[in-house]
Amino acid sequence: MRRERKQGTTRMKVGFIGLGNVGGKLSGSLLRNGIDLTVHDLNPELVDDFVSRGATRGESPAQLMRDCDAVITCLPSPAASDAVMQQMLSEVKPGKIWMEMSTTDEAEVKRLGAMVMEAGGAAVDCPVSGGCHRAATGNISIFAGCDRATFDRIAPFLKTMGRRILHTGDLGSASVLKVVTNYLATANLVTCCEALVTAKAAGMDLNTTYEAMKISSGTSFVHETESQVILNGSRDISFTMDLVKKDAGLFQQVADRHNVPLEISPMLVQIFEDGIERYGERCFSPNIIKRLEEATGLDILAPGFPPEMTDDEPEEPGYEVIPQGSERKAAE
């Protein structure tokens, strides 16, 4: 279910820390749509590019928190987020908002968020899902964990950066759901690899195999995107094996905290640990299929597939997704 909200930009000033592969695309959507944006990154060339397009150059995380109404962090690890927070914390005051868009641990975002709230600010974990190609066009999905009043304040930013916006509950809930969905994507990737290699070994045409998987009950978002760059041979989805291992580990931590005896998750971690040992941690994650290509002597390639995914859908205003059955539950 979707709920439309009035669109438009806000006069609040936004700071963005972390202009890497995902953060650069998300902050680009803010800038492209007229948000008053100040940016900061350890790579000065990335900052220079944003300044050339109209953003304000930030001096430090502390200065961004001091001068902006909301500061977004999109960083590669929980340790990086902690380091940035230690610099910002002295500038957190009532009315300030910290928005954590990194993929991180539920316990860690709650720990940092508690510091922000003790200082009078508000904290949100708001990771994204749906592929880097959709982050670039503002059509990605965003989860947001925070109180409802804070969600309503930041909704204009979220709907500028993404299309489908889901308020997941309290702080930390979005991070749990992000690692749950990343776990499913990883499992989908590994099973797609096994399916493609098995089909090739059985003598199936891989173009036909791709279509059979796509139009059947076996399809998935991962198949319809990552299988294409696998078959092209580039294996480029702008996501690397070390990030898969990190996210899989975060999912396993959630399960361990709640005493869930997982069986497939530990196997996925082992598969990617082996992939990292063979091909390097910065190898594109779809190259995990090379383990099976090497074991069988088969090349899983087919003509007509793109080297990278692009979002050919027009940029659309974002909207809030309302969970199925939630209105009935509220009435009870």
Side-chain angles (χ1 to χ4, degrees), residues 277-293:
E277 184 176 345
R278 294 181 188 219
Y279 314 120
E281 62 180 14
R282 302 305 293 168
C283 186
F284 289 130
S285 56
N287 271 315
I288 201 69
I289 198 172
K290 290 173 67 175
R291 296 169 69 250
L292 291 173
E293 288 180 312

Side-chain angles (χ1 to χ4, degrees), residues 177-227:
L177 291 174
K178 168 62 174 176
V179 297
V180 166
T181 56
N182 273 21
Y183 165 72
L184 291 171
T186 300
N188 270 256
L189 171 59
V190 171
T191 56
C192 282
C193 290
E194 293 188 348
L196 290 170
V197 174
T198 300
K200 176 73 171 182
M204 298 296 105
D205 173 77
L206 288 178
N207 294 76
T208 304
T209 298
Y210 174 84
E211 295 299 336
M213 292 167 64
K214 182 177 177 181
I215 67 172
S216 72
S217 59
T219 196
S220 66
F221 173 83
V222 170
H223 171 60
E224 294 180 22
T225 54
E226 297 190 38
S227 288

Side-chain angles (χ1 to χ4, degrees), residues 30-268:
L30 292 173
L31 187 62
R32 185 172 64 251
N33 286 283
I35 299 295
D36 186 347
L37 185 69
T38 302
V39 296
H40 180 70
D41 194 276
L42 294 178
N43 184 339
E45 293 181 359
L46 297 177
V47 176
D48 290 344
D49 174 61
F50 270 80
V51 171
S52 72
R53 290 185 277 145
T56 299
R57 185 186 306 274
E59 298 173 5
S60 66
Q63 180 260 318
L64 262 67
M65 182 60 75
R66 182 171 60 249
D67 294 345
C68 298
D69 301 292
V71 176
I72 300 169
T73 50
C74 191
L75 300 164
S77 69
S81 291
D82 177 69
V84 166
M85 179 54 68
Q86 299 313 315
Q87 297 179 61
M88 295 193 298
L89 196 56
S90 63
E91 300 295 339
V92 175
K93 303 291 188 297
K96 300 286 187 178
I97 305 173
W98 171 53
M99 299 169 60
E100 172 64 292
M101 300 198 79
S102 318
T103 298
T104 190
D105 176 59
E106 168 201 14
E108 180 65 3
V109 77
K110 285 181 175 179
R111 183 183 73 84
L112 296 180
M115 297 178 187
V116 171
M117 290 184 279
E118 286 173 8
V124 188
D125 58 327
C126 43
V128 301
S129 185
C132 288
H133 60 297
R134 288 185 176 172
T137 59
N139 287 330
I140 203 164
S141 297
I142 305 178
F143 303 152
C146 58
D147 61 87
R148 185 70 210 192
T150 299
F151 178 84
D152 287 338
R153 285 185 67 194
I154 64 172
F157 307 140
L158 298 179
K159 294 173 185 177
T160 299
M161 290 185 285
R163 180 186 294 185
R164 299 172 183 86
I165 315 301
L166 179 65
H167 181 216
T168 56
D170 294 335
L171 179 70
S173 59
S175 294
V176 172
L177 291 174
K178 168 62 174 176
V179 297
V180 166
T181 56
N182 273 21
Y183 165 72
L184 291 171
T186 300
N188 270 256
L189 171 59
V190 171
T191 56
C192 282
C193 290
E194 293 188 348
L196 290 170
V197 174
T198 300
K200 176 73 171 182
M204 298 296 105
D205 173 77
L206 288 178
N207 294 76
T208 304
T209 298
Y210 174 84
E211 295 299 336
M213 292 167 64
K214 182 177 177 181
I215 67 172
S216 72
S217 59
T219 196
S220 66
F221 173 83
V222 170
H223 171 60
E224 294 180 22
T225 54
E226 297 190 38
S227 288
Q228 294 202 57
V229 297
I230 286 173
L231 291 167
N232 170 272
S234 77
R235 282 83 196 265
D236 181 1
I237 58 159
S238 301
F239 204 73
T240 52
M241 290 191 186
D242 60 329
L243 296 178
V244 173
K245 181 184 175 182
K246 181 199 79 168
D247 292 352
L250 291 172
F251 175 74
Q252 186 66 51
Q253 288 175 25
V254 173
D256 291 344
R257 278 199 294 268
H258 298 282
N259 301 311
V260 182
L262 301 180
E263 297 175 284
I264 295 174
S265 174
M267 295 173 61
L268 293 176

